[in-house]
Structures are given as structure tokens and as C-alpha cells.
Amino acid sequence: MQPIEFQDPTEATHWQAVNDDVMGGVSHSDFQVEDGKGVFHGELSLENGGGFASVRRAPHSPLQQALAVAGGVRLRVSGDGRSYQLRLKSHDLDNSSAYRARFTPKVDAWETIDLPWQAFEAVCRGRLLSDAPALDPARIQQVGFLIADRRAGAFRLEVACIEALNSH
């Protein structure tokens, strides 16, 4: 099993920002690799009906295979007091939908957060999808982070590792 780690600075090139400017908002975000960790950071704005910022990447093949037989996702993160979402895009949902699990990491302290598959719910633009299929981990095509906590201002989430959570 090979997790997503951030020892290689080129890891940042695999991440793509998708912010509320797709619907007229003015939030912005970026993903960088600094000192062996991934950093999702930016500025959340509630102007023009906005209020979210996100980054995503396709999981590399070894992680995809590990997730298919895992019990969930394990994160090693350090936060800023704000709430985030781990978002999983799947072939089973349309492009504007994803499975999300919310988490609020400790401020300026590294923490391991386990998100079992049951913690994920299907959403479309922040609304729950009651008729969506259950998350099939074998069909995950993207992993990402999103912030949409209705609080304008700077944010920073540091990520040391994203890996499959052993189901044993």
C-alpha cells in the first residue's frame, strides 16, 4: 500500500484547485508542498454567493488499489481551528457530486484522523443526496479537501499523509 505523502515537491503538481469562482465567488486556494507536508491554504470569501475552496487529485494506482479493500481513509493532519471535508469523487456520482466526511483537526498539532466509509455521505453542492448509491471504494477516482464553513478569512490545513485505513 502506498499512501500519498509529500516528501517530493512535485507532488503539488498533481493537485488542482476548484473554488467558488466557478459560480461567481471570489475565494481562492492553492496546494503546495513545504518541508515534507502538503499545505491546502487560501482565503475563503462569502462575497457574490461564494463560500468554498477546494483542491483535488486523482489517487495514484497503488492507493486506489489499497482503498478498494480498506475500511476507510486515514489522514495525518494539522489544522487552524476550522472544519474541513475530505471529498471522494466516484464514478457512481455525477461531476458536481462527491462523498464527503467532515473533520476538524487540532490547531498547530499533528493528529491522525480515521474516516471509515460509513462517515462519508453523498452531496451535491453542499446538499445531501438521499438517492445516491453507497460509496463503493473500488470506484474512487479523486480525493480532495474542501472548506465551506461559512467563515470568511484565511485558512491553512497541513497534510502529512493520506492512506488507506486497514479494515482489521
Side-chain angles (χ1 to χ4, degrees):
M1 167 181 70
Q2 189 170 3
I4 296 174
E5 296 178 305
F6 305 94
Q7 307 310 314
D8 181 352
T10 63
E11 172 61 27
T13 65
H14 298 289
W15 293 81
Q16 171 192 8
V18 179
N19 302 315
D20 57 18
D21 57 351
V22 298
M23 52 182 263
V26 295
S27 298
H28 61 88
S29 70
D30 192 17
F31 194 91
Q32 298 173 273
V33 172
E34 300 175 1
D35 302 321
K37 60 187 178 284
V39 181
F40 170 43
H41 65 99
E43 186 91 19
L44 200 64
S45 172
L46 306 179
E47 293 177 35
N48 299 342
F52 78 88
S54 71
V55 291
R56 59 178 82 154
R57 85 177 306 275
H60 51 16
S61 183
L63 179 61
Q64 260 181 321
Q65 293 167 4
L67 290 174
V69 296
V73 180
R74 172 171 282 166
L75 304 174
R76 183 94 178 127
V77 292
S78 177
D80 57 2
R82 298 181 73 161
S83 293
Y84 293 87
Q85 298 174 24
L86 178 66
R87 295 180 60 95
L88 304 174
K89 299 286 252 174
S90 166
H91 293 290
D92 294 327
L93 299 176
D94 68 40
N95 197 38
S96 61
S97 303
Y99 294 94
R100 76 167 177 212
R102 295 182 172 127
F103 64 98
T104 305
K106 294 178 180 171
V107 178
D108 298 327
W110 288 99
E111 173 180 20
T112 299
I113 297 178
D114 290 345
L115 299 168
W117 298 133
Q118 308 86 272
F120 289 86
E121 54 193 4
V123 294
C124 178
R125 297 184 178 101
R127 291 186 302 280
L128 286 176
L129 297 174
S130 57
D131 58 345
L135 172 60
D136 178 352
R139 296 186 48 85
I140 294 169
Q141 65 190 42
Q142 283 184 336
V143 297
F145 295 100
L146 180 137
I147 183 168
D149 62 1
R150 297 186 178 92
R151 285 177 38 209
F155 63 88
R156 181 179 176 94
L157 174 68
E158 297 182 357
V159 184
C161 186
I162 304 166
E163 63 185 328
L165 175 63
N166 290 332
S167 50
H168 330 302

